[in-house]
Amino acid sequence: MAKRGLAVAPSGRPGRGRLYVNLPDGRAVAWYDRKANRISVLADERREEILTALRPYLTGTVAIGPPPVPTAADLRRLALRPDDDLAPNRPGEDLLGELTHGSAGTRARHRLRQELAARERIGEVLDGLSESEEWRVLHSLGGITDHLVIGPPGVFCIRAVPGRRQRAVVGELLLTVGRAEPRPDPRACRRAAAYATRALSATVTPVLAVADASRVEVAPTLRDVRVLTPPTLTPFLTAAPTTLKPPDVEALFAAARDWTTWL
């Protein structure tokens, strides 16, 4: 927090990307680009307040001045209300709320904890990928998908499921883990990617990520949904051919992090 009503908020995961200095109503008056070590000021009359707010985060010699000509992604980010920004969401954010404040019974809570552990496991892998400036990752998109990844190879809609250290069998429509009842995860993953394709006006690849299974078997007829595990997730994404340029990645990320995109 900062003096005189200004607040500092990260553009994504804490410790990375830009830091925005916002008015109480959420409008940005400046941002600090840590990679370029530069402060872009939108309200010059508040320059001293902005410097005071950002001082704990600054390192080395910092340039300060008016912003460069904003891209469409910059303009969308600057207009984004904090309550509509999905970028700060943690993996399994919705499940954390249910476990903390919900009234589910013992069995249901055990299932929720397994689901949360799977989302956190996959989220940890994806957050490692997002250390690269080429990639953008979102978690917990309001019940639409568990994770959304945007990078040079395109957009990937990822549904995380717990393998529970048992054999997982994935068919075209159903996933079976051990002796449990089959689940419609492949269908749900496919629907989420189709929804994201419409919302973002971009091709979105469905991915089913099975966490901590003893073995994963995939039906040879399943071709439109990629089935991956934590060790194979990053190699698959980074080895895929490039289809998006950096401005395209930023534009899609700006749209995807805005909750109103998904309404």
Side-chain angles (χ1 to χ4, degrees):
M1 298 294 294
K3 296 180 180 179
R4 298 177 64 183
L6 295 185
V8 176
S11 62
R13 289 199 304 131
R16 297 191 63 252
R18 291 176 174 178
L19 290 174
Y20 282 84
V21 183
N22 297 329
L23 295 170
D25 63 3
R27 288 182 297 126
V29 292
W31 68 80
Y32 172 43
D33 187 329
R34 282 180 277 203
K35 185 178 180 182
N37 211 19
R38 187 181 193 281
I39 301 172
S40 295
V41 178
L42 296 171
D44 197 60
E45 70 278 7
R46 290 182 174 265
R47 178 179 289 226
E48 290 305 316
E49 295 176 71
I50 290 165
L51 286 172
T52 299
L54 286 172
R55 190 162 288 121
Y57 309 95
L58 303 180
T59 58
T61 303
V62 180
I64 182 169
V69 177
T71 64
D74 289 329
L75 293 174
R76 185 160 190 166
R77 166 61 187 87
L78 293 170
L80 183 61
R81 295 174 56 247
D83 288 347
D84 290 334
D85 191 359
L86 299 173
N89 283 4
R90 297 166 293 176
E93 185 99 18
D94 49 339
L95 298 184
L96 285 167
E98 287 187 56
L99 283 167
T100 304
H101 305 292
S103 57
T106 302
R107 292 185 64 183
R109 290 179 68 82
H110 178 66
R111 178 185 58 79
L112 288 173
R113 282 192 288 267
Q114 289 181 329
E115 297 283 348
L116 176 60
R119 296 187 194 184
E120 289 178 335
R121 176 75 178 92
I122 299 303
E124 181 182 11
V125 173
L126 296 175
D127 284 342
L129 179 70
S130 70
E131 292 295 335
S132 166
E133 290 296 325
E134 296 180 321
W135 294 85
R136 298 291 180 265
V137 177
L138 291 167
H139 305 294
S140 304
L141 268 68
I144 297 163
T145 187
D146 300 333
H147 314 279
L148 191 80
V149 179
I150 307 170
V155 187
F156 302 86
C157 186
I158 301 176
R159 183 178 181 88
V161 296
R164 305 199 307 270
R165 295 183 173 85
Q166 299 181 57
R167 184 181 67 139
V169 180
V170 187
E172 289 189 67
L173 302 178
L174 299 172
L175 162 73
T176 305
V177 177
R179 298 189 179 187
E181 287 293 317
R183 302 162 35 131
D185 292 284
R187 284 183 291 179
C189 188
R190 195 178 284 117
R191 285 197 302 268
Y195 186 93
T197 294
R198 293 192 298 272
L200 297 174
S201 299
T203 300
V204 179
T205 300
V207 175
L208 195 61
V210 185
D212 302 319
S214 62
R215 186 165 78 255
V216 178
E217 299 176 6
V218 182
T221 53
L222 180 63
R223 296 178 180 176
D224 61 328
V225 177
R226 297 286 184 173
V227 181
L228 302 170
T229 62
T232 62
L233 188 54
T234 299
F236 165 76
L237 293 172
T238 55
T242 297
T243 62
L244 297 177
K245 296 179 180 179
D248 301 322
V249 171
E250 290 302 326
L252 286 166
F253 179 60
R257 69 188 295 175
D258 186 347
W259 170 238
T260 62
T261 298
W262 306 100
L263 297 180

